[in-house]
């Protein structure tokens, strides 16, 4: 069996690239369907029905993240990274051929089920094949898959739908998923695991008798809310309160997404240098508090010259914890539990993100954007003391 130290560098980084592509394909499927709203409503579907339809991939993802984690723990990463994208491909192809809205929703749900497979499996490949001193950087690169996937979806899905119709647009993520399955079939190798005769302690439930993982999950849920507030409402705030055009606001928001991806990579590299994921995680949490509180103050005072740079800073800071927490969970859960651990991690974050638009939308409608930013800062405050201490990457 090939060990971590024996794995060739080119092969190691090629597996990282495949993991990023598979995760990006999942992001295109889950988030890209939302860009079909104009096309769906133009052909006569009500906005409520179209909204329910495009939400189905997210529902499928959230419902099965933990289940896929269990499967990864049982059968390994490679099979899941092949099977999940194949399910996306089959569901997407069938959805493109469907003429019934109920069937379409069901197939989009199944596509979301397939998309959930890549979350834990791609992360486990990275943790398994990269040594601790380079794992944070690798996981930071992997965490760029979601914004990259959303960017691809924003560019491709509406354009294809407008030119060739909704069925062709659905085939975009399906085709990406098919390519991901082929790539993972050829290029992914399951990381080594301890033998069954020497790993009794590693097989033990890491959630039993130790609250470290639960604390990391709670921190991630609290910190993903400021991220969701900034992501969801920045465009509207810049347009409505600051007075920017939608085009100018869109350019700034797109730029912050790119900077946020770079921030995830930088945070991962930083954690490698200091040999800890949790120390940098605490620092990022404190920075999130400060940036969101300052953004709330400057937005309330209409100090746009300061508020806009703070929005950019908050957009980068509030996403920088994702890779740190994700890597910490995988390392602490161990080779037989990290699939389920990462599934729990992603489920909590997705549920929190789903609650952001309605909850904070209502708050903004009654109290304004500054109040929303201040509440988000308060939730980040609650996250700081929950970050565990005394753990180094292993």
């Amino acid at each position: 069996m090939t060990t971590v130290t024996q794995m060739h560098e080119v092969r190691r980084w090629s597996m990282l690239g495949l993991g990023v592509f598979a995760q990006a394909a999942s992001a295109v499927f889950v988030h890209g369907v939302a860009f079909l709203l104009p096309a769906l409503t133009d052909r006569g579907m009500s906005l409520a029905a179209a909204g329910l339809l495009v939400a189905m991939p997210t529902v499928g993802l959230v419902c099965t993240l933990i289940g896929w984690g269990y499967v990864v723990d049982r059968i390994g990463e490679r099979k899941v990274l092949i099977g999940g994208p194949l399910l996306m491909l089959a569901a997407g192809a069938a959805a493109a051929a469907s003429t019934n809205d109920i069937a379409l929703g069901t197939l989009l749900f199944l596509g979301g089920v397939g998309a959930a497979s890549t979350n834990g499996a791609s992360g486990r490949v990275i943790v398994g094949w990269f040594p601790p001193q380079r794992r944070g950087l690798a996981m930071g690169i992997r965490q760029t898959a979601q914004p990259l996937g959303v960017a691809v979806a924003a560019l491709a899905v509406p354009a294809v739908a407008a030119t060739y119709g909704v069925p062709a647009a659905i085939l975009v993520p399906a085709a990406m998923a098919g390519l991901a399955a082929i790539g993972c079939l050829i290029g992914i190798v399951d990381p080594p695991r301890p033998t069954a005769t020497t790993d009794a302690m590693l097989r033990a439930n890491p959630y039993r008798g130790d609250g470290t993982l639960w604390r990391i999950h709670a921190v991630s849920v609290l910190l993903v809310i400021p991220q969701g507030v900034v992501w969801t409402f920045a465009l509207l705030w810049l347009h409505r309160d600051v007075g920017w055009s939608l085009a100018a606001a869109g350019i700034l928001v797109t730029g912050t997404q790119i900077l946020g991806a770079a921030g995830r990579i930088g945070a991962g590299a930083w954690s490698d240098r200091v040999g800890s994921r949790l120390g940098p995680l605490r620092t990022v949490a404190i920075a999130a508090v400060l940036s969101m509180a300052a953004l709330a103050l400057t937005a309330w005072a209409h100090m746009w010259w300061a508020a806009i740079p703070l929005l950019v800073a908050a957009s980068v800071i509030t996403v920088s914890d994702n890779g740190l927490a994700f890597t910490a969970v995988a390392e602490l859960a161990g080779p037989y539990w990290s699939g389920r651990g990462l599934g729990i991690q992603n489920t909590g974050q997705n549920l929190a993100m789903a609650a952001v638009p309605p909850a904070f939308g209502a708050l903004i409608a009654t109290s304004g954007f500054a109040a929303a930013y201040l509440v988000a800062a308060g939730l980040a405050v609650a996250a700081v003391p929950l970050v565990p201490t005394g753990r180094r990457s292993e």
Side-chain angles (χ1 to χ4, degrees):
M1 177 183 294
T2 304
T3 66
V4 173
T5 55
Q6 292 171 335
M7 174 59 65
H8 194 277
E9 281 295 294
V10 173
R11 187 67 181 275
R12 198 194 315 271
W13 286 98
S14 70
M15 286 194 284
L16 171 59
L18 288 169
V20 169
F21 185 79
Q23 184 64 31
S26 295
V28 173
F29 200 110
V30 171
H31 302 288
V33 178
F35 295 109
L36 292 174
L37 278 174
L40 291 171
T41 52
D42 285 348
R43 70 182 195 183
M45 185 179 292
S46 70
L47 182 59
L52 177 62
L53 197 64
V54 302
M56 294 311 293
T58 302
V59 175
L61 178 134
V62 171
C63 288
T64 55
L65 281 167
I66 297 175
W68 275 113
Y70 178 81
V71 174
V72 173
D73 290 334
R74 297 287 294 182
I75 69 173
E77 297 81 359
R78 181 173 179 269
K79 292 178 181 177
V80 170
L81 284 172
I82 297 168
L86 283 177
L87 178 56
M88 275 194 286
L89 170 62
S98 175
T99 57
N100 179 277
D101 290 341
I102 294 177
L104 177 59
T106 302
L107 291 165
L108 291 176
F109 174 88
L110 289 175
V113 171
S117 66
T118 63
N119 281 269
S122 63
R124 291 241 324 202
V125 167
I126 293 166
V127 171
W129 282 122
F130 280 82
Q133 66 272 19
R134 300 174 68 183
R135 197 177 289 155
L137 171 62
M139 192 67 82
I141 294 172
R142 182 263 184 200
Q143 292 297 96
T144 66
Q146 183 181 29
L148 289 175
V150 173
V152 169
L155 289 172
V157 171
V160 173
T163 305
Y164 301 104
V166 170
I170 295 175
L171 289 175
V172 171
M176 286 186 65
L179 290 174
I182 295 171
C184 291
L185 173 66
I186 297 170
I188 294 294
V189 178
D190 284 341
R193 298 190 190 188
T195 61
T197 57
T198 61
D199 65 342
M201 291 184 63
L202 291 175
R203 289 183 180 273
N205 186 343
Y207 289 94
R208 190 170 296 162
D210 187 349
T212 301
L213 286 171
W214 288 120
R215 290 175 64 177
I216 297 173
H217 295 326
V219 168
S220 295
V221 167
L222 290 168
L223 291 182
V224 83
I225 295 174
Q227 173 188 324
V229 170
V230 172
W231 275 18
T232 304
F233 298 107
L235 185 72
L236 184 63
W237 174 68
L238 288 167
H239 179 60
R240 181 181 294 177
D241 278 22
V242 184
W244 284 22
S245 68
L246 285 174
I251 291 171
L252 180 65
V253 171
T254 301
T256 62
Q257 291 285 319
I258 296 171
L259 290 174
R264 296 182 185 204
I265 296 173
W270 172 28
S271 74
D272 287 339
R273 287 196 300 270
V274 300
S276 171
R277 317 300 173 201
L278 301 180
L281 179 60
R282 183 178 297 101
T283 302
V284 169
I286 294 171
V289 173
L290 297 175
S291 63
M292 293 301 297
L295 178 60
L297 176 62
T298 53
W300 173 75
H302 302 289
M303 299 165 58
W304 308 135
W305 59 270
I308 292 171
L310 283 168
L311 173 69
V312 175
S315 298
V316 175
I317 292 167
T318 56
V319 302
S320 297
D321 65 285
N322 288 348
L324 298 172
F326 204 78
T327 309
V329 168
E331 290 176 334
L332 294 172
Y336 294 108
W337 277 85
S338 57
R340 280 161 282 187
L342 295 175
I344 294 171
Q345 174 82 0
N346 279 311
T347 299
Q349 287 188 304
N350 277 283
L351 290 174
M353 283 287 278
V356 165
F360 281 84
L363 178 61
I364 289 169
T366 58
S367 305
F369 288 95
Y373 298 147
L374 187 60
V375 171
L379 292 169
V381 169
V384 174
L386 288 175
V387 180
T389 58
R391 298 287 185 125
R392 295 183 65 84
S393 58
E394 299 175 356

